[in-house]
Amino acid sequence: MKDFALWAEADWIAAIAATVLGLFLIGGAYAVTRKEPEVGGHPKGLYMLFFAEMWERFSYYGMRALLIFYLTQHWLFNSSASNVIYGAYISLVYITPVLGGWLADNYIGQRKAVLYGAILLTFGHFLMAFEGTGGQNDPTINVFWLALAFIIVGSGFLKANISVLVGQLYPRTDVRRDGAYTIFYMGINVGAAVGAILAGYLGFTLGWEYGFGAAGLGMLLGLIVFVIGKPLLMGKGEPAKPLAKNTELLVYGIGIVGVAVMWVLIQYQSLVGGIMLIAGALLLGYVLIEAFKLEKHPRERIFAALFLIALQPLFWGLFEQGGGSLNLFTNEFIDLQGVPAPIFQSINPIYIILLAPIFAGLWTWLGRKGLEPSTPAKFGLGLVQLGFGFLVLVWGAATVGIDAKIPVIFLFGIYLFHTTGELCLSPVGLSAMNRLSPRHLASLIMGAWFFATAGGGFVAGVIGAATGGEDGDMTRQAALDVYWTIGLVSIVVGIFVVLIARFVAKYMHLDTLSDDALEGHAEAGLEAQEAGIHPTTRA
């Protein structure tokens, strides 16, 4: 333990993060130990899911903050190769919820799916702590690939299903659902911020095993919270019909086989793109087949959902530069004042915590005046802001000499616009997926949303690789050229989406939605009233 007088900025940041985490844990313990079935107007099961997801995000974002540096500095991949691996990993993390959601819907239910996913994730995160001697010739690298494989498959079982569990705690017409998802979304970002700070701090100051070990501990705590808190779910998330023991074991066996498959794919990233194209075509075909079985309005809602889903690869391909190429760029070319680069991965979730209530109030205020943008329009605005963030960084670099470090204020600037863009797209899109999905397709459509996000992960790896020089190592000018180009592309596409938003919104038919058609009133629900629910709302 250092003397306080010797503490640097990074030490204070880590201490503050640990204190914030402790305060949240105290508050959570208070909420779930009350005798009353509800606390603060919400069932105690919500707070249990809040902390289970908070710890899962702690582990995921803690590991994510370190991963690109672990690849370049420990396993000695160049920056281009590291970005491709990072992109393939992100892609696979978001593609597996398609299968996980389907297995939960049809066989084991959401609760058992989340539990199994948490077990796989815990094992995977602890495997990350085995670092060996480093370099690509070290046999321990196979343990690293295995760790990523466990995390990928575990995420597949957990991601889509824990979100659905939140909605199942409430009756379909319960007006508290939006507020519940707001609380849940805050848990995600508290975990993400604190995880990035603490794991990033430990990994850079004490060693990789400490950073990844902290992420593993966080996931273990999330698993324990979920197991102990089972009674608080009040029987929600169980299989739709009695589950035979052999069937349940078969599903778990599929998960283990999936780990073996992912262990291969993460090492041969070129296969991921081809598989995604095939899987995407099959998924699209299946969704369309199911859509054409529906009445006109439900069918057109599926079409609107597919349009929104199609924008995901572009948005997340650019957004995920944050954990990949932008993370490396930060370490090399930003004036960090001695703070470890991974800690800056906490900026985005901190912004979300601060800005989410503002956006919630903004949508409500605009909705009362009949001026709230429709969901498609919000998507377009999100893309415009995302692109503008990259331009801010490029302009910031132009203010200093080519050999001078870029002031850190411009890093805060890019993450600010990326966050406001995310708040226009991510929670709104999650809400739309549940709102537009028939009950029997809820987890599948949510899985399709994550699948499109997976496409963004693969795109992120391709873009990140382009920031490398001829030898595969990142150069300042190459990175800035790429950021300028993708920033302009995102702005142009965003403006186009805003222009056609009125026509897409008509296909959503939110004014004729019946309560029985919905799995949940909102999925992330940062706004009190989703855009377009009133016939007078315009794009």
Side-chain angles (χ1 to χ4, degrees), residues 421-470:
E422 181 186 3
L423 287 171
C424 285
L425 184 142
S426 182
V428 173
L430 286 167
S431 175
M433 292 307 103
N434 255 199
R435 200 163 267 187
L436 298 174
S437 304
R439 178 179 175 85
H440 69 288
L441 296 177
S443 287
L444 176 69
I445 296 300
M446 191 61 64
W449 171 269
F450 286 123
F451 181 91
T453 306
F458 188 79
V459 171
V462 174
I463 294 174
T467 62
E470 293 182 2

Side-chain angles (χ1 to χ4, degrees), residues 411-427:
L411 185 66
F412 282 88
I414 186 174
Y415 281 124
L416 173 62
F417 285 103
H418 283 193
T419 302
T420 56
E422 181 186 3
L423 287 171
C424 285
L425 184 142
S426 182

Side-chain angles (χ1 to χ4, degrees), residues 290-362:
E290 293 296 318
F292 281 109
K293 295 178 182 178
L294 303 172
E295 301 283 336
K296 181 178 186 295
H297 281 193
R299 180 173 67 249
E300 291 186 348
R301 290 188 193 106
I302 295 294
F303 294 157
L306 290 175
F307 174 81
L308 300 177
I309 288 171
L311 298 174
Q312 287 280 88
L314 174 62
F315 184 90
W316 296 110
L318 273 60
F319 185 91
E320 280 295 343
Q321 297 307 307
S325 71
L326 187 56
N327 210 0
L328 290 174
F329 188 91
T330 297
N331 191 54
E332 293 292 329
F333 306 115
I334 302 290
D335 184 5
L336 302 179
Q337 305 292 321
V339 178
I343 288 180
F344 288 89
Q345 291 295 296
S346 67
I347 297 175
N348 167 247
I350 290 173
Y351 274 151
I352 287 179
I353 293 169
L354 296 175
L355 296 177
I358 296 175
F359 271 72
L362 175 64

